[in-house]
Amino acid sequence: MPDERAAGSRAEQRAATRRALVAEGRRRFAGDGYHGVVLAEVARAVGVTKGAAYHHFESKAGLFEAVVAEVQRDLGERVAAAAEVYDDPWEQLRAGCRAFLAAGSDPAVRRIVLVDAPTVLGWDKWRAMDEESSARHLTEALTALIEAGIVAEQPVEPLARLLSGAMNEAALWLARSGTPEALELTVSALDGLLAGIRREDPERPMS
């Protein structure tokens, strides 16, 4: 029994150390960018050795990947929460897209996910991680709209990628614009873009 308690305590300590490293890494990557962060300094800031940091992540790139995953997961939850406020699937899509665009003002999203992650992790890896978070919610929303007859029957994957790419670029532009009216203008442009995929006479499929 004491050995089991000791093993549980060690596991909890390892988990706590990992969380602390990710939190500190997230703060530094958002503020200084990937190339401005030194893993040994992250470790020192949370009170562990450089060896302990390497034990958890093997490299700075490993820590960065864990941070990207956390930020993308948080972003996906933010998008989903905004969409769930509405019952109508079209309003769910609009709300989720607006939440994604607004998130561009978050330094962690802008610097870590939109600027550094595609370069540091590589495009394919970044896209795969993105599809597990906010892009997945976009695909689900579009699928629901097609099934409801609100958007014309078509392959979902290319449509989702087109919209996702457009919103990634728009979120970057928003983050750099710094003008208070930029979000309102972008949301208006987004509504025009989305109107182009909506059927003028939505028909629900026969049950």
Side-chain angles (χ1 to χ4, degrees), residues 82-152:
E84 288 169 0
V85 171
Y86 299 90
D87 294 324
D88 179 78
W90 184 256
E91 292 305 319
Q92 288 177 348
L93 174 65
R94 292 182 67 236
C97 289
R98 288 197 304 270
F100 180 87
L101 291 174
S105 62
D106 181 337
V109 173
R110 181 184 64 81
R111 186 65 183 263
I112 295 172
V113 173
L114 298 176
V115 175
D116 284 347
T119 302
V120 175
L121 301 178
W123 180 258
D124 289 340
K125 178 70 173 179
W126 177 76
R127 282 299 306 170
M129 295 175 71
D130 182 56
E131 287 171 6
E132 287 298 314
S133 54
S134 53
R136 174 172 57 84
H137 295 295
L138 177 60
T139 300
E140 291 171 353
L142 290 170
T143 299
L145 287 166
I146 291 172
E147 291 175 349
I150 297 171
V151 171

Short mmCIF file of all heavy atoms in Angstrom, two decimals, residues 82-152:
data_model
loop_
_atom_site.label_atom_id
_atom_site.label_comp_id
_atom_site.label_asym_id
_atom_site.label_seq_id
_atom_site.Cartn_x
_atom_site.Cartn_y
_atom_site.Cartn_z
N ALA A 82 -19.25 29.07 -28.32
CA ALA A 82 -19.95 30.16 -28.99
C ALA A 82 -21.07 29.63 -29.87
O ALA A 82 -22.17 30.20 -29.93
CB ALA A 82 -18.98 30.99 -29.82
N ALA A 83 -20.81 28.52 -30.55
CA ALA A 83 -21.81 27.94 -31.44
C ALA A 83 -22.97 27.35 -30.67
O ALA A 83 -24.14 27.44 -31.09
CB ALA A 83 -21.16 26.87 -32.31
N GLU A 84 -22.69 26.76 -29.52
CA GLU A 84 -23.73 26.06 -28.76
C GLU A 84 -24.76 26.99 -28.14
O GLU A 84 -25.80 26.54 -27.65
CB GLU A 84 -23.07 25.21 -27.67
CG GLU A 84 -22.36 23.98 -28.23
CD GLU A 84 -21.49 23.29 -27.20
OE1 GLU A 84 -21.44 23.77 -26.04
OE2 GLU A 84 -20.84 22.29 -27.56
N VAL A 85 -24.50 28.29 -28.18
CA VAL A 85 -25.48 29.25 -27.67
C VAL A 85 -26.75 29.22 -28.53
O VAL A 85 -27.85 29.51 -28.06
CB VAL A 85 -24.88 30.67 -27.67
CG1 VAL A 85 -25.93 31.73 -27.36
CG2 VAL A 85 -23.73 30.74 -26.67
N TYR A 86 -26.60 28.83 -29.81
CA TYR A 86 -27.71 28.86 -30.76
C TYR A 86 -28.21 27.45 -31.09
O TYR A 86 -27.44 26.49 -31.08
CB TYR A 86 -27.26 29.54 -32.06
CG TYR A 86 -26.82 30.97 -31.86
CD1 TYR A 86 -25.48 31.26 -31.56
CD2 TYR A 86 -27.71 32.02 -31.92
CE1 TYR A 86 -25.06 32.57 -31.36
CE2 TYR A 86 -27.30 33.33 -31.73
CZ TYR A 86 -25.97 33.60 -31.44
OH TYR A 86 -25.57 34.89 -31.24
N ASP A 87 -29.50 27.38 -31.42
CA ASP A 87 -30.10 26.11 -31.86
C ASP A 87 -30.05 25.98 -33.37
O ASP A 87 -29.95 24.88 -33.91
CB ASP A 87 -31.55 26.00 -31.38
CG ASP A 87 -31.65 25.90 -29.87
OD1 ASP A 87 -30.75 25.28 -29.25
OD2 ASP A 87 -32.61 26.47 -29.29
N ASP A 88 -30.16 27.11 -34.06
CA ASP A 88 -30.18 27.11 -35.52
C ASP A 88 -28.78 26.81 -36.06
O ASP A 88 -27.80 27.47 -35.68
CB ASP A 88 -30.64 28.48 -36.02
CG ASP A 88 -30.66 28.54 -37.54
OD1 ASP A 88 -31.61 28.00 -38.13
OD2 ASP A 88 -29.71 29.10 -38.12
N PRO A 89 -28.65 25.82 -36.95
CA PRO A 89 -27.31 25.44 -37.43
C PRO A 89 -26.59 26.54 -38.20
O PRO A 89 -25.35 26.62 -38.15
CB PRO A 89 -27.58 24.21 -38.33
CG PRO A 89 -29.03 24.26 -38.64
CD PRO A 89 -29.69 24.93 -37.49
N TRP A 90 -27.33 27.40 -38.89
CA TRP A 90 -26.68 28.51 -39.61
C TRP A 90 -26.08 29.51 -38.62
O TRP A 90 -24.95 29.97 -38.80
CB TRP A 90 -27.68 29.21 -40.52
CG TRP A 90 -27.04 30.29 -41.35
CD1 TRP A 90 -27.14 31.63 -41.14
CD2 TRP A 90 -26.19 30.12 -42.48
NE1 TRP A 90 -26.41 32.32 -42.08
CE2 TRP A 90 -25.81 31.41 -42.92
CE3 TRP A 90 -25.72 29.00 -43.17
CZ2 TRP A 90 -24.99 31.62 -44.02
CZ3 TRP A 90 -24.89 29.21 -44.26
CH2 TRP A 90 -24.53 30.50 -44.68
N GLU A 91 -26.83 29.82 -37.57
CA GLU A 91 -26.32 30.75 -36.56
C GLU A 91 -25.16 30.11 -35.78
O GLU A 91 -24.26 30.82 -35.32
CB GLU A 91 -27.44 31.18 -35.61
CG GLU A 91 -28.49 32.07 -36.27
CD GLU A 91 -27.87 33.30 -36.93
OE1 GLU A 91 -26.96 33.90 -36.33
OE2 GLU A 91 -28.30 33.64 -38.04
N GLN A 92 -25.19 28.80 -35.62
CA GLN A 92 -24.07 28.11 -34.98
C GLN A 92 -22.79 28.30 -35.79
O GLN A 92 -21.72 28.58 -35.23
CB GLN A 92 -24.38 26.63 -34.82
CG GLN A 92 -25.42 26.32 -33.77
CD GLN A 92 -25.75 24.85 -33.71
OE1 GLN A 92 -25.38 24.07 -34.58
NE2 GLN A 92 -26.46 24.45 -32.66
N LEU A 93 -22.91 28.17 -37.12
CA LEU A 93 -21.74 28.37 -37.99
C LEU A 93 -21.23 29.80 -37.88
O LEU A 93 -20.03 30.02 -37.69
CB LEU A 93 -22.12 28.07 -39.44
CG LEU A 93 -21.02 28.37 -40.48
CD1 LEU A 93 -19.81 27.46 -40.28
CD2 LEU A 93 -21.56 28.24 -41.90
N ARG A 94 -22.13 30.77 -37.96
CA ARG A 94 -21.71 32.17 -37.90
C ARG A 94 -21.05 32.49 -36.56
O ARG A 94 -20.02 33.16 -36.50
CB ARG A 94 -22.91 33.09 -38.12
CG ARG A 94 -23.48 33.05 -39.51
CD ARG A 94 -24.64 34.03 -39.67
NE ARG A 94 -24.16 35.41 -39.58
CZ ARG A 94 -24.63 36.30 -38.70
NH1 ARG A 94 -25.56 35.95 -37.81
NH2 ARG A 94 -24.15 37.52 -38.68
N ALA A 95 -21.65 32.00 -35.47
CA ALA A 95 -21.11 32.30 -34.15
C ALA A 95 -19.75 31.65 -33.96
O ALA A 95 -18.83 32.26 -33.38
CB ALA A 95 -22.08 31.81 -33.07
N GLY A 96 -19.59 30.43 -34.42
CA GLY A 96 -18.30 29.76 -34.30
C GLY A 96 -17.22 30.47 -35.10
O GLY A 96 -16.08 30.63 -34.62
N CYS A 97 -17.56 30.91 -36.30
CA CYS A 97 -16.59 31.64 -37.13
C CYS A 97 -16.21 32.97 -36.48
O CYS A 97 -15.04 33.36 -36.48
CB CYS A 97 -17.17 31.88 -38.52
SG CYS A 97 -17.31 30.40 -39.55
N ARG A 98 -17.20 33.67 -35.94
CA ARG A 98 -16.90 34.95 -35.27
C ARG A 98 -15.99 34.73 -34.07
O ARG A 98 -15.07 35.53 -33.83
CB ARG A 98 -18.20 35.62 -34.82
CG ARG A 98 -19.04 36.18 -35.94
CD ARG A 98 -20.08 37.18 -35.42
NE ARG A 98 -20.94 36.58 -34.40
CZ ARG A 98 -22.08 35.96 -34.65
NH1 ARG A 98 -22.50 35.83 -35.89
NH2 ARG A 98 -22.81 35.47 -33.66
N ALA A 99 -16.25 33.66 -33.31
CA ALA A 99 -15.41 33.38 -32.15
C ALA A 99 -13.98 33.09 -32.57
O ALA A 99 -13.03 33.52 -31.90
CB ALA A 99 -15.99 32.21 -31.36
N PHE A 100 -13.81 32.39 -33.68
CA PHE A 100 -12.47 32.09 -34.17
C PHE A 100 -11.75 33.38 -34.56
O PHE A 100 -10.59 33.59 -34.22
CB PHE A 100 -12.53 31.14 -35.35
CG PHE A 100 -11.18 30.78 -35.91
CD1 PHE A 100 -10.47 29.71 -35.37
CD2 PHE A 100 -10.61 31.51 -36.93
CE1 PHE A 100 -9.21 29.40 -35.86
CE2 PHE A 100 -9.35 31.20 -37.42
CZ PHE A 100 -8.65 30.13 -36.89
N LEU A 101 -12.44 34.24 -35.28
CA LEU A 101 -11.83 35.50 -35.71
C LEU A 101 -11.44 36.36 -34.51
O LEU A 101 -10.36 36.94 -34.47
CB LEU A 101 -12.79 36.26 -36.62
CG LEU A 101 -13.05 35.64 -37.99
CD1 LEU A 101 -14.13 36.41 -38.72
CD2 LEU A 101 -11.78 35.59 -38.83
N ALA A 102 -12.34 36.45 -33.54
CA ALA A 102 -12.07 37.26 -32.35
C ALA A 102 -10.88 36.74 -31.58
O ALA A 102 -10.15 37.51 -30.94
CB ALA A 102 -13.30 37.31 -31.46
N ALA A 103 -10.65 35.42 -31.65
CA ALA A 103 -9.54 34.82 -30.91
C ALA A 103 -8.18 35.28 -31.45
O ALA A 103 -7.16 35.13 -30.78
CB ALA A 103 -9.63 33.30 -30.96
N GLY A 104 -8.17 35.84 -32.66
CA GLY A 104 -6.91 36.33 -33.22
C GLY A 104 -6.28 37.43 -32.38
O GLY A 104 -5.07 37.68 -32.49
N SER A 105 -7.07 38.07 -31.53
CA SER A 105 -6.51 39.11 -30.66
C SER A 105 -5.79 38.52 -29.45
O SER A 105 -5.10 39.25 -28.72
CB SER A 105 -7.62 40.05 -30.17
OG SER A 105 -8.58 39.34 -29.40
N ASP A 106 -5.95 37.24 -29.22
CA ASP A 106 -5.25 36.54 -28.14
C ASP A 106 -3.81 36.30 -28.58
O ASP A 106 -3.57 35.61 -29.58
CB ASP A 106 -5.96 35.21 -27.86
CG ASP A 106 -5.33 34.44 -26.72
OD1 ASP A 106 -4.14 34.65 -26.41
OD2 ASP A 106 -6.02 33.58 -26.14
N PRO A 107 -2.81 36.83 -27.85
CA PRO A 107 -1.42 36.67 -28.27
C PRO A 107 -1.00 35.20 -28.43
O PRO A 107 -0.19 34.88 -29.30
CB PRO A 107 -0.63 37.35 -27.15
CG PRO A 107 -1.58 38.30 -26.53
CD PRO A 107 -2.93 37.66 -26.64
N ALA A 108 -1.56 34.33 -27.60
CA ALA A 108 -1.19 32.92 -27.69
C ALA A 108 -1.67 32.32 -29.01
O ALA A 108 -0.95 31.58 -29.68
CB ALA A 108 -1.77 32.13 -26.51
N VAL A 109 -2.90 32.66 -29.39
CA VAL A 109 -3.44 32.14 -30.65
C VAL A 109 -2.67 32.72 -31.82
O VAL A 109 -2.25 32.00 -32.74
CB VAL A 109 -4.94 32.46 -30.77
CG1 VAL A 109 -5.47 32.08 -32.15
CG2 VAL A 109 -5.73 31.72 -29.68
N ARG A 110 -2.47 34.03 -31.80
CA ARG A 110 -1.83 34.68 -32.95
C ARG A 110 -0.39 34.21 -33.13
O ARG A 110 -0.03 33.71 -34.19
CB ARG A 110 -1.86 36.20 -32.76
CG ARG A 110 -1.23 36.96 -33.94
CD ARG A 110 -1.17 38.45 -33.67
NE ARG A 110 -0.32 38.77 -32.55
CZ ARG A 110 1.02 38.86 -32.63
NH1 ARG A 110 1.63 38.63 -33.77
NH2 ARG A 110 1.72 39.17 -31.57
N ARG A 111 0.42 34.38 -32.08
CA ARG A 111 1.86 34.11 -32.24
C ARG A 111 2.14 32.61 -32.30
O ARG A 111 2.92 32.15 -33.15
CB ARG A 111 2.63 34.73 -31.07
CG ARG A 111 4.15 34.64 -31.21
CD ARG A 111 4.62 35.47 -32.40
NE ARG A 111 6.04 35.36 -32.62
CZ ARG A 111 6.94 36.25 -32.18
NH1 ARG A 111 6.54 37.30 -31.47
NH2 ARG A 111 8.22 36.10 -32.44
N ILE A 112 1.50 31.84 -31.41
CA ILE A 112 1.83 30.41 -31.32
C ILE A 112 1.18 29.61 -32.44
O ILE A 112 1.85 28.88 -33.17
CB ILE A 112 1.40 29.86 -29.95
CG1 ILE A 112 2.22 30.51 -28.84
CG2 ILE A 112 1.56 28.33 -29.91
CD1 ILE A 112 1.74 30.17 -27.43
N VAL A 113 -0.13 29.76 -32.61
CA VAL A 113 -0.86 28.90 -33.55
C VAL A 113 -0.79 29.38 -34.98
O VAL A 113 -0.57 28.59 -35.90
CB VAL A 113 -2.34 28.77 -33.10
CG1 VAL A 113 -3.16 28.04 -34.15
CG2 VAL A 113 -2.43 28.03 -31.77
N LEU A 114 -0.97 30.69 -35.19
CA LEU A 114 -1.07 31.20 -36.56
C LEU A 114 0.27 31.56 -37.18
O LEU A 114 0.45 31.40 -38.39
CB LEU A 114 -1.99 32.43 -36.58
CG LEU A 114 -3.44 32.18 -36.15
CD1 LEU A 114 -4.22 33.49 -36.12
CD2 LEU A 114 -4.12 31.18 -37.06
N VAL A 115 1.22 32.05 -36.37
CA VAL A 115 2.49 32.51 -36.93
C VAL A 115 3.59 31.45 -36.85
O VAL A 115 4.17 31.04 -37.87
CB VAL A 115 2.96 33.81 -36.23
CG1 VAL A 115 4.34 34.23 -36.74
CG2 VAL A 115 1.95 34.93 -36.47
N ASP A 116 3.87 30.96 -35.64
CA ASP A 116 5.03 30.08 -35.46
C ASP A 116 4.75 28.61 -35.76
O ASP A 116 5.62 27.91 -36.29
CB ASP A 116 5.56 30.21 -34.03
CG ASP A 116 6.35 31.49 -33.81
OD1 ASP A 116 6.68 32.16 -34.82
OD2 ASP A 116 6.62 31.83 -32.64
N ALA A 117 3.57 28.13 -35.41
CA ALA A 117 3.31 26.69 -35.52
C ALA A 117 3.49 26.13 -36.93
O ALA A 117 4.11 25.07 -37.10
CB ALA A 117 1.93 26.35 -34.97
N PRO A 118 2.96 26.78 -37.98
CA PRO A 118 3.15 26.19 -39.32
C PRO A 118 4.62 26.05 -39.72
O PRO A 118 4.99 25.09 -40.39
CB PRO A 118 2.43 27.19 -40.24
CG PRO A 118 1.43 27.87 -39.35
CD PRO A 118 2.11 27.98 -38.02
N THR A 119 5.45 26.99 -39.28
CA THR A 119 6.87 26.94 -39.62
C THR A 119 7.63 25.94 -38.76
O THR A 119 8.42 25.13 -39.27
CB THR A 119 7.51 28.33 -39.44
OG1 THR A 119 6.82 29.27 -40.27
CG2 THR A 119 8.98 28.31 -39.82
N VAL A 120 7.39 25.97 -37.46
CA VAL A 120 8.15 25.13 -36.53
C VAL A 120 7.74 23.66 -36.66
O VAL A 120 8.60 22.76 -36.71
CB VAL A 120 7.95 25.60 -35.08
CG1 VAL A 120 8.64 24.65 -34.10
CG2 VAL A 120 8.49 27.02 -34.91
N LEU A 121 6.45 23.40 -36.74
CA LEU A 121 5.96 22.03 -36.78
C LEU A 121 5.88 21.47 -38.20
O LEU A 121 5.85 20.25 -38.38
CB LEU A 121 4.57 21.94 -36.14
CG LEU A 121 4.45 22.38 -34.68
CD1 LEU A 121 3.01 22.28 -34.22
CD2 LEU A 121 5.36 21.55 -33.79
N GLY A 122 5.85 22.35 -39.18
CA GLY A 122 5.62 21.92 -40.55
C GLY A 122 4.14 22.00 -40.88
O GLY A 122 3.29 21.81 -40.01
N TRP A 123 3.85 22.30 -42.13
CA TRP A 123 2.47 22.53 -42.54
C TRP A 123 1.58 21.32 -42.28
O TRP A 123 0.47 21.46 -41.76
CB TRP A 123 2.43 22.90 -44.02
CG TRP A 123 1.06 23.15 -44.54
CD1 TRP A 123 0.29 22.31 -45.28
CD2 TRP A 123 0.27 24.33 -44.33
NE1 TRP A 123 -0.93 22.88 -45.56
CE2 TRP A 123 -0.97 24.12 -44.99
CE3 TRP A 123 0.48 25.54 -43.66
CZ2 TRP A 123 -1.98 25.09 -44.99
CZ3 TRP A 123 -0.53 26.48 -43.66
CH2 TRP A 123 -1.73 26.26 -44.32
N ASP A 124 2.04 20.12 -42.64
CA ASP A 124 1.21 18.92 -42.50
C ASP A 124 0.86 18.65 -41.04
O ASP A 124 -0.28 18.33 -40.71
CB ASP A 124 1.90 17.70 -43.12
CG ASP A 124 1.96 17.77 -44.63
OD1 ASP A 124 1.16 18.53 -45.22
OD2 ASP A 124 2.79 17.07 -45.23
N LYS A 125 1.85 18.76 -40.17
CA LYS A 125 1.62 18.53 -38.74
C LYS A 125 0.68 19.58 -38.18
O LYS A 125 -0.25 19.26 -37.41
CB LYS A 125 2.96 18.56 -37.99
CG LYS A 125 2.86 18.36 -36.48
CD LYS A 125 2.46 16.94 -36.14
CE LYS A 125 2.51 16.69 -34.66
NZ LYS A 125 2.12 15.31 -34.31
N TRP A 126 0.91 20.83 -38.55
CA TRP A 126 0.06 21.91 -38.05
C TRP A 126 -1.38 21.72 -38.50
O TRP A 126 -2.32 21.87 -37.72
CB TRP A 126 0.59 23.26 -38.52
CG TRP A 126 -0.27 24.41 -38.12
CD1 TRP A 126 -0.35 24.98 -36.88
CD2 TRP A 126 -1.17 25.13 -38.96
NE1 TRP A 126 -1.26 26.02 -36.91
CE2 TRP A 126 -1.78 26.13 -38.15
CE3 TRP A 126 -1.53 25.03 -40.31
CZ2 TRP A 126 -2.71 27.03 -38.66
CZ3 TRP A 126 -2.47 25.92 -40.82
CH2 TRP A 126 -3.04 26.90 -40.00
N ARG A 127 -1.58 21.35 -39.78
CA ARG A 127 -2.93 21.14 -40.29
C ARG A 127 -3.61 19.99 -39.57
O ARG A 127 -4.80 20.05 -39.26
CB ARG A 127 -2.89 20.85 -41.80
CG ARG A 127 -2.70 22.07 -42.66
CD ARG A 127 -3.80 23.07 -42.50
NE ARG A 127 -5.13 22.50 -42.70
CZ ARG A 127 -6.26 23.12 -42.43
NH1 ARG A 127 -6.23 24.32 -41.89
NH2 ARG A 127 -7.41 22.55 -42.65
N ALA A 128 -2.87 18.91 -39.32
CA ALA A 128 -3.46 17.76 -38.64
C ALA A 128 -3.92 18.15 -37.23
O ALA A 128 -5.00 17.74 -36.79
CB ALA A 128 -2.44 16.62 -38.57
N MET A 129 -3.12 18.95 -36.54
CA MET A 129 -3.51 19.39 -35.20
C MET A 129 -4.68 20.36 -35.27
O MET A 129 -5.58 20.30 -34.43
CB MET A 129 -2.31 20.03 -34.50
CG MET A 129 -1.17 19.05 -34.24
SD MET A 129 0.30 19.85 -33.53
CE MET A 129 -0.29 20.23 -31.87
N ASP A 130 -4.69 21.22 -36.26
CA ASP A 130 -5.78 22.18 -36.42
C ASP A 130 -7.09 21.46 -36.68
O ASP A 130 -8.14 21.85 -36.17
CB ASP A 130 -5.46 23.14 -37.57
CG ASP A 130 -6.53 24.20 -37.76
OD1 ASP A 130 -6.81 24.93 -36.79
OD2 ASP A 130 -7.07 24.30 -38.87
N GLU A 131 -7.03 20.39 -37.46
CA GLU A 131 -8.24 19.64 -37.79
C GLU A 131 -8.81 18.92 -36.58
O GLU A 131 -9.99 18.57 -36.57
CB GLU A 131 -7.95 18.66 -38.93
CG GLU A 131 -7.79 19.36 -40.28
CD GLU A 131 -7.29 18.45 -41.37
OE1 GLU A 131 -7.17 17.23 -41.10
OE2 GLU A 131 -7.04 18.94 -42.47
N GLU A 132 -8.00 18.69 -35.57
CA GLU A 132 -8.49 18.05 -34.34
C GLU A 132 -9.18 19.04 -33.42
O GLU A 132 -9.82 18.65 -32.45
CB GLU A 132 -7.32 17.38 -33.60
CG GLU A 132 -6.81 16.12 -34.27
CD GLU A 132 -7.86 15.03 -34.34
OE1 GLU A 132 -8.54 14.78 -33.32
OE2 GLU A 132 -8.02 14.44 -35.41
N SER A 133 -9.04 20.33 -33.73
CA SER A 133 -9.62 21.34 -32.83
C SER A 133 -10.68 22.15 -33.56
O SER A 133 -11.77 21.65 -33.83
CB SER A 133 -8.51 22.24 -32.27
OG SER A 133 -7.74 22.80 -33.32
N SER A 134 -10.39 23.41 -33.89
CA SER A 134 -11.42 24.28 -34.45
C SER A 134 -11.87 23.85 -35.84
O SER A 134 -13.04 23.99 -36.18
CB SER A 134 -10.91 25.73 -34.49
OG SER A 134 -9.67 25.81 -35.14
N ALA A 135 -10.96 23.31 -36.66
CA ALA A 135 -11.34 22.89 -38.00
C ALA A 135 -12.34 21.75 -37.96
O ALA A 135 -13.21 21.63 -38.83
CB ALA A 135 -10.10 22.48 -38.80
N ARG A 136 -12.24 20.91 -36.95
CA ARG A 136 -13.20 19.80 -36.81
C ARG A 136 -14.60 20.34 -36.57
O ARG A 136 -15.58 19.85 -37.14
CB ARG A 136 -12.77 18.89 -35.65
CG ARG A 136 -13.78 17.80 -35.32
CD ARG A 136 -13.20 16.83 -34.30
NE ARG A 136 -12.78 17.50 -33.07
CZ ARG A 136 -13.61 17.78 -32.07
NH1 ARG A 136 -14.89 17.47 -32.15
NH2 ARG A 136 -13.16 18.37 -30.97
N HIS A 137 -14.71 21.38 -35.74
CA HIS A 137 -16.01 21.98 -35.47
C HIS A 137 -16.59 22.62 -36.73
O HIS A 137 -17.80 22.55 -36.97
CB HIS A 137 -15.90 23.02 -34.36
CG HIS A 137 -15.51 22.45 -33.04
ND1 HIS A 137 -16.32 21.57 -32.34
CD2 HIS A 137 -14.40 22.60 -32.28
CE1 HIS A 137 -15.73 21.22 -31.21
NE2 HIS A 137 -14.57 21.83 -31.14
N LEU A 138 -15.73 23.20 -37.55
CA LEU A 138 -16.19 23.80 -38.80
C LEU A 138 -16.73 22.72 -39.73
O LEU A 138 -17.79 22.88 -40.34
CB LEU A 138 -15.04 24.56 -39.47
CG LEU A 138 -15.34 25.19 -40.83
CD1 LEU A 138 -16.48 26.19 -40.72
CD2 LEU A 138 -14.09 25.86 -41.39
N THR A 139 -16.02 21.62 -39.84
CA THR A 139 -16.47 20.51 -40.69
C THR A 139 -17.80 19.96 -40.21
O THR A 139 -18.71 19.68 -41.01
CB THR A 139 -15.41 19.39 -40.71
OG1 THR A 139 -14.18 19.91 -41.22
CG2 THR A 139 -15.86 18.22 -41.57
N GLU A 140 -17.94 19.80 -38.90
CA GLU A 140 -19.21 19.30 -38.34
C GLU A 140 -20.35 20.27 -38.62
O GLU A 140 -21.47 19.84 -38.96
CB GLU A 140 -19.06 19.08 -36.83
CG GLU A 140 -18.12 17.93 -36.47
CD GLU A 140 -17.82 17.86 -34.99
OE1 GLU A 140 -18.22 18.79 -34.25
OE2 GLU A 140 -17.16 16.89 -34.56
N ALA A 141 -20.09 21.56 -38.49
CA ALA A 141 -21.14 22.56 -38.74
C ALA A 141 -21.57 22.54 -40.20
O ALA A 141 -22.77 22.61 -40.51
CB ALA A 141 -20.63 23.95 -38.35
N LEU A 142 -20.62 22.47 -41.12
CA LEU A 142 -20.95 22.44 -42.55
C LEU A 142 -21.70 21.16 -42.91
O LEU A 142 -22.64 21.18 -43.72
CB LEU A 142 -19.67 22.56 -43.38
CG LEU A 142 -18.99 23.93 -43.34
CD1 LEU A 142 -17.62 23.86 -44.00
CD2 LEU A 142 -19.86 24.99 -44.01
N THR A 143 -21.30 20.05 -42.31
CA THR A 143 -22.00 18.78 -42.56
C THR A 143 -23.46 18.88 -42.14
O THR A 143 -24.37 18.44 -42.86
CB THR A 143 -21.31 17.64 -41.81
OG1 THR A 143 -19.96 17.51 -42.27
CG2 THR A 143 -22.04 16.31 -42.02
N ALA A 144 -23.70 19.48 -40.97
CA ALA A 144 -25.07 19.64 -40.48
C ALA A 144 -25.88 20.55 -41.41
O ALA A 144 -27.07 20.28 -41.66
CB ALA A 144 -25.05 20.22 -39.06
N LEU A 145 -25.27 21.58 -41.94
CA LEU A 145 -25.97 22.50 -42.84
C LEU A 145 -26.33 21.82 -44.16
O LEU A 145 -27.40 22.05 -44.73
CB LEU A 145 -25.11 23.74 -43.09
CG LEU A 145 -25.01 24.71 -41.92
CD1 LEU A 145 -23.88 25.70 -42.14
CD2 LEU A 145 -26.33 25.44 -41.70
N ILE A 146 -25.44 20.99 -44.67
CA ILE A 146 -25.71 20.27 -45.90
C ILE A 146 -26.84 19.25 -45.68
O ILE A 146 -27.77 19.12 -46.49
CB ILE A 146 -24.44 19.58 -46.42
CG1 ILE A 146 -23.43 20.63 -46.91
CG2 ILE A 146 -24.76 18.59 -47.55
CD1 ILE A 146 -22.07 20.09 -47.27
N GLU A 147 -26.78 18.57 -44.55
CA GLU A 147 -27.81 17.58 -44.25
C GLU A 147 -29.18 18.25 -44.05
O GLU A 147 -30.21 17.65 -44.35
CB GLU A 147 -27.43 16.80 -43.00
CG GLU A 147 -26.25 15.86 -43.21
CD GLU A 147 -25.80 15.18 -41.93
OE1 GLU A 147 -26.26 15.60 -40.85
OE2 GLU A 147 -24.96 14.25 -42.01
N ALA A 148 -29.17 19.49 -43.57
CA ALA A 148 -30.42 20.23 -43.36
C ALA A 148 -30.92 20.88 -44.65
O ALA A 148 -32.01 21.45 -44.67
CB ALA A 148 -30.23 21.29 -42.28
N GLY A 149 -30.14 20.83 -45.71
CA GLY A 149 -30.55 21.44 -46.97
C GLY A 149 -30.31 22.94 -47.02
O GLY A 149 -30.74 23.61 -47.96
N ILE A 150 -29.61 23.49 -46.04
CA ILE A 150 -29.35 24.93 -46.00
C ILE A 150 -28.18 25.29 -46.93
O ILE A 150 -28.14 26.36 -47.54
CB ILE A 150 -29.07 25.39 -44.56
CG1 ILE A 150 -30.31 25.14 -43.70
CG2 ILE A 150 -28.68 26.86 -44.50
CD1 ILE A 150 -30.09 25.34 -42.21
N VAL A 151 -27.22 24.39 -47.03
CA VAL A 151 -26.10 24.52 -47.97
C VAL A 151 -26.25 23.39 -49.00
O VAL A 151 -26.61 22.27 -48.64
CB VAL A 151 -24.74 24.42 -47.24
CG1 VAL A 151 -23.59 24.32 -48.23
CG2 VAL A 151 -24.55 25.63 -46.32
N ALA A 152 -25.98 23.70 -50.26
CA ALA A 152 -26.16 22.71 -51.32
C ALA A 152 -25.26 21.49 -51.09
O ALA A 152 -24.16 21.61 -50.55
CB ALA A 152 -25.84 23.34 -52.67
#
